[in-house]
Amino acid sequence: MKKTLVTLLLCSLLATTLQAAGQRLIKLFGMPINAETTEILLPDEAIPSEFRAAEELQKFLQEMTGSKLEIKLESEPTAGRRVILVGHCLTAAKYGFEVDYDKLGLEGIRIESNEASKALLLGGNRRGCLYAVYDFLEEELGCHWFAKDCSVIPGNAETVELDTIQKEFIPALEQRDANYTCCYDVPTSVRNKLNGAAVGADASWGNHVRYKHLVHTFDLLCPVATYGATHPEYYSEVNGERLLKHTQLCLTNPEVLKIVTEATLKQIEETDDDVIISVSQNDNKNYCQCEKCMALAEQEESQCGPLLAFVNAVAAEVEKRHPGRIIDTLAYQYTRKPPKNIKPLPNVAVRLCSIECCFSHSLEECPINATFVQDIKDWNAICDRLHIWDYVINYAHNNMPFANFNVLKPNIQFFINNGVTSIFEEANYYSDHGEFAELRSYVMFKLLWDPSYDTAKAIYDFTEAYYGPAGQYIRLYLFMLHDWVCNQPGIHMDIYKGPEYYLNDMDKLNLASELFKKAMNAVKDDPVRLLRVQTEYLSVIYAKGTLASTALLLKDGVLVAQETDANQEIDLFAEVARKVGIARMGEGTSNTTESWIAEHSSATNPHKVYTIQKDGAVLDILPSLGGRIWRANLIGHDVMLVSGDENQGFAPAVNGWEEYSTSGYRSEGFVTPYQVVSQSESAIELKAVLSTGAVSHRTIEVLDKASFRVVSWYDNPDGTPSTKQFRIHPAFEVPAPTAAVMRTYDANGKATELPIASKFPVLNDGQMPKEIEVYCEGASKPAGHWELDYTAKDGKPVTLVHEFPADQADFTYLNANRIQNRVNLELWTKGGKLENTYKLIER
């Protein structure tokens, strides 16, 4: 029991590594622990992690006390000194300790003092020996490892007296993982007991739970590049067509099973005994609709039926040849619901993904999460190894305020209470920092190891040490943010929504700015902590800057920003983001920090609306925002989906008709300013120079009351024609998309009809996913003509016709979102000039 213990507050005056000069006096049963009185004992056959554990104990005790303890093997004489036993010592009983090391497993810890022998045991096996040392140093002596550049190793002139200690702890989770880039620092992560694939710990750090590829492995195991040309039947049949892009596997094909099984066995033979092999679906929703696959899915009342039957067959063969090896698969999106009859084999781990959930409210309290909660419970009833892939950031806006600190603890507790043995917290692995990356990582470290840990204590301890005098303002900001976002009725925070959905309150954001300014002022003479506070302030600047372009007011034909100081702070954003290495604002190669800075440096500039019209048809064009068609009205119907409204402000860079300079989503071009070359009443010609030097040309013309045409092409810098591929990305307003019908026409004019509702899989309780996608390529690609039947807002049935040169389309793609009432009819080009014609017909 501790009688005195240094507090973090006393140590928080120093900036990076918080420690004094090794003057601490640590006593065990009244006797000092120092080089004269005490030594560290290791097993005679110590493994690398036990050596590391002993060295870590020696290192940090020396930093605190100024005295370096000797490390010996347990068979060596002790010279009359007391001992601290580290790891799996066979002589533990000699000092009065009875330890069941088998019970502890790889990670359990046993910390115990014995008054009779005056000895201390820090016991454990492979990783447990390290965790026992760190637990002792933290809980008994006040050491903390908050981040790679911030630790607390108290060495002030104070006495700590230890007497009876008795603790045994075995973590509920066999895998604890998170992948902020700061989690890749092995010492910090291991000292905080993270053990997943992101950590990358070697044997001296206890190794980690290792995967041979983490997820989405179908194409690795049965590559399209290898088999697609000769065996298209190995891949998904969708709408009667075998897909060779954005595809899955045909899971009832015995040849596919043979190929995947052999590939899996080969991977096992190339890896160590404790490596988990992933056999899991690709990251798209194009599951196989062939007769056999659909029959099995219908029999099992879930698309997970074909998947789990397939994975079980692979796992059964693995068990024959490599007993005990684990095969991991996903229950993700369309496979999340467990099958009715098929159960995972004992060597199969099933990983559910919370991608559709709300994260401003805990899983159990939010109706949005009800089907996911039920799926967890249903899987727990049939699965021995239930794993979770959880999400802790906004993937479209990783630097935006994300108010999820309140749900981390209840969600982790819910998982564990329902049989989950592995949690992976996915974060912005693709860029350093992001909104409160280090703080959120630390809170997750604590909760994944001990789900009863006090979140408020973790936040307080971290903010005091990491931000020093600014910590109080950071905590006030976090309280304000969570009170604001989490208590808005009907508002749910998912991992893709922008700030306009739940942060569109400039008064609140200005209050946040004031708190951060106080925080920055509190550490203005401490450059290390000032930069840390500025890094977190980027999230507020990001929200304000993004709202400046997504909440514009229309005044006299010009879109203007609301009153905000964001424009003045973009320079600070750019300076700090570059200094700390924030490379991206969201997942995906196109969401770069530099593109966001370039876009929002002028985000508050007015955007003039150019209008062209003919016979009553009206198109509103925004040259300064990518030359997009912002609004379109044909035969009295609004055609383009418009984000925002007159009261809350418009988000003109979201939706509408836009074009990208490559196939990448929101790649250059979609907000690149265009200049007006010429304009008539019914047509406009635009031009833009891209950063590559290529010149983008576009003409937009209203043809009649029902149609308009867009012609696009690129020139090279020398004026020669370009064959550059680009992507057309129009978002059409379609009330009730699930009732819409798409038709594609082949070269002979034959139509193939696809009710969009057939692509929305029915989940538990009749629920559907909010969004689906349909790729049309190969024989299913429309030969220059496809149509969409739907019902307009006024209740009239209409048909939207899209025509284009068939030889210019690489493939087309339909994306439908039933929540946003949106359908995108997209087209990827082969290069060269492209003419798109759109017509609306009342039926």
Side-chain angles (χ1 to χ4, degrees), residues 259-413:
I259 290 167
V260 171
T261 300
E262 289 175 354
T264 302
L265 291 167
K266 182 179 179 182
Q267 287 192 355
I268 289 174
E269 289 159 6
E270 295 172 348
T271 59
D272 295 337
D273 289 344
D274 59 351
V275 175
I276 297 171
I277 306 298
S278 175
V279 179
S280 56
Q281 68 205 62
N282 296 327
D283 197 5
N284 65 67
K285 302 170 185 176
N286 290 323
Y287 55 83
C288 186
Q289 300 172 8
C290 77
E291 184 177 348
K292 288 184 178 180
C293 286
M294 290 302 292
L296 184 52
E298 290 170 10
Q299 175 184 313
E300 294 296 325
E301 299 178 8
S302 169
Q303 281 296 332
C304 199
L307 173 68
L308 190 55
F310 183 88
V311 172
N312 273 350
V314 175
E317 194 62 32
V318 168
E319 183 65 17
K320 292 177 188 176
R321 304 194 203 181
H322 304 279
R325 291 301 291 266
I326 304 302
I327 301 300
D328 176 274
T329 196
L330 287 171
Y332 174 61
Q333 294 181 334
Y334 64 86
T335 60
R336 207 184 74 195
K337 180 183 178 183
K340 183 178 180 180
N341 302 300
I342 302 171
K343 296 178 175 58
L345 292 180
N347 65 330
V348 171
V350 177
R351 187 180 293 275
L352 276 78
C353 304
S354 60
I355 192 168
E356 301 94 349
C357 290
C358 164
F359 294 97
S360 52
H361 309 107
S362 67
L363 290 170
E364 291 187 281
E365 72 174 343
C366 182
I368 298 294
N369 301 329
T371 56
F372 180 72
V373 165
Q374 189 60 51
D375 286 344
I376 292 281
K377 293 178 178 179
D378 291 344
W379 276 108
N380 184 33
I382 65 171
C383 185
D384 294 330
R385 274 193 169 86
L386 188 54
H387 295 180
I388 289 293
W389 186 298
D390 195 25
Y391 301 84
V392 293
I393 67 163
N394 186 309
Y395 280 87
H397 308 270
N398 58 246
N399 240 72
M400 187 178 79
F402 196 66
N404 70 335
F405 278 96
N406 289 346
V407 308
L408 294 175
K409 180 173 180 174
N411 284 359
I412 289 172
Q413 289 180 328

Side-chain angles (χ1 to χ4, degrees), residues 153 221 334 391 571 575 801:
I153 311 299
L221 297 168
Y334 64 86
Y391 301 84
D571 288 344
E575 176 188 351
V801 179

